[in-house]
Amino acid sequence: MSSKEFNVVAILHPKKGKTDDVLRLLNEVADYVKTQESSTLGYSINRSLRPNKDGTEEIVMIERYKDQAALKTHGTSPTFTAFQKKLGELDLMRAPMVLKIVGEQGGFKSRL
């Protein structure tokens, strides 16, 4: 992977009724990232607007990194590794997280 900026899309699958718990933990991570990871350029936490037929929801993270080193810093930080550990200890997830590393190929960003 080159040293250009890129995005990570992470899809989390909380157990039914556990979405708020996962969101709380993710927002704690986001607070840390905002103040401690200057090469993490964006960290957007998104909740599905419509539950699945079984009542479960997804959380979709859209993260932007300056380079591969920034992603490594994030992935190995004590705060993020503690978050991952809590997900397991508290039995909050119904399926493993899905990660996609993507580079922009077109489109636009609002100037507002």
Side-chain angles (χ1 to χ4, degrees):
M1 184 178 304
S2 72
S3 62
K4 291 185 176 186
E5 293 178 10
F6 62 93
N7 296 320
V8 172
V9 178
I11 304 171
L12 291 85
H13 306 279
K15 288 185 173 181
K16 187 175 181 178
K18 299 297 183 182
T19 303
D20 288 335
D21 296 329
V22 177
L23 287 169
R24 180 182 49 78
L25 293 172
L26 274 171
N27 277 292
E28 290 174 6
V29 174
D31 289 342
Y32 172 84
V33 170
K34 185 177 182 179
T35 61
Q36 302 298 317
E37 295 181 14
S38 61
S39 293
T40 300
L41 306 175
Y43 205 75
S44 175
I45 303 168
N46 303 273
R47 182 181 196 155
S48 55
L49 295 177
R50 295 185 180 129
N52 297 318
K53 290 180 182 181
D54 64 359
T56 60
E57 300 176 271
E58 279 81 41
I59 298 169
V60 179
M61 300 287 302
I62 303 169
E63 307 165 24
R64 186 147 186 91
Y65 295 95
K66 180 179 176 182
D67 53 27
Q68 185 66 28
L71 176 59
K72 183 176 181 181
T73 296
H74 173 68
T76 59
S77 72
T79 299
F80 185 72
T81 54
F83 161 75
Q84 289 181 307
K85 186 175 178 184
K86 284 180 190 176
L87 290 179
E89 289 174 350
L90 299 173
D91 194 28
L92 298 176
M93 306 306 287
R94 62 184 162 83
M97 184 184 318
V98 175
L99 290 176
K100 303 285 184 178
I101 298 175
V102 298
E104 288 183 14
Q105 302 299 301
F108 73 94
K109 291 183 178 112
S110 175
R111 293 178 208 130
L112 298 177

